[in-house]
Amino acid sequence: MLLKLELFQHAGSFKPRGALCAMLDLAADALRRGVTAVSAGNHAMAVGYAARALGTSAKVVMPRTASPARVQGCREYGAEVELVDDVHRAFARVREIEKQEGRTFIHPFEGPLTALGTATLGLEICEQAGELDAVIVPIGGAACARESLAR
């Protein structure tokens, strides 16, 4: 049995893989303007981490119900955090930030570069474990998925 414990990665999850992949593709001027994101926790922390690693700024929008530890984690990575009433308002606020500040929105789960970055996890598992009979993958992100489907 092999356990791939992504909680020991930077920012505590697999999410920096997708955030970094998307942000590494930004033009220098876009990177200078900074990024924005919406998340209740893991993705927000990942974007804060990635922004710090790449020398830019991040403004993340989180619902007020987000874990205080996740909010603090974002701030510790240097991200500016805005708290809003719910995830629907968070997506609307991120769109406002994009327009007003020229920041690039790093989506929590959509987009080919986010998928590519996340897929590196599967590649690593295959390289580390060899032939596999089964892989069990927990998933989440229901609140963001509902908002995305509502658009």
Side-chain angles (χ1 to χ4, degrees):
M1 178 189 325
L2 170 74
L3 295 176
K4 187 139 182 69
L5 301 175
E6 290 293 291
L7 66 131
F8 294 122
Q9 295 287 357
H10 294 287
S13 77
F14 68 92
K15 289 288 194 170
R17 296 167 180 268
L20 279 165
C21 192
M23 290 169 65
L24 283 168
D25 193 57
L26 293 177
D29 63 325
L31 202 55
R32 274 192 299 278
R33 286 191 303 272
V35 296
T36 187
V38 58
S39 167
N42 288 340
H43 180 66
M45 286 183 62
V47 169
Y49 164 77
R52 185 176 76 182
L54 297 176
T56 191
S57 64
K59 184 180 280 190
V60 297
V61 182
M62 303 175 79
R64 291 188 199 287
T65 57
S67 161
R70 293 291 190 204
V71 173
Q72 183 61 30
C74 291
R75 290 182 173 137
E76 288 173 3
Y77 280 120
E80 181 181 340
V81 177
E82 284 192 28
L83 298 174
V84 295
D85 290 334
D86 58 43
V87 72
H88 300 290
R89 179 65 190 126
F91 271 91
R93 179 63 184 130
V94 161
R95 287 189 286 274
E96 292 169 1
I97 291 168
E98 276 184 288
K99 290 177 188 171
Q100 294 169 355
E101 299 181 23
R103 292 177 181 270
T104 301
F105 177 41
I106 306 299
H107 199 283
F109 56 84
E110 289 183 351
L113 294 173
T114 299
L116 181 64
T118 302
T120 63
L121 177 59
L123 178 63
E124 286 178 10
I125 289 171
C126 290
E127 289 174 348
Q128 292 168 349
E131 191 172 324
L132 299 167
D133 293 324
V135 176
I136 300 170
V137 180
I139 61 169
C144 288
R146 281 192 302 274
E147 167 61 23
S148 182
L149 292 172
R151 283 190 269 147

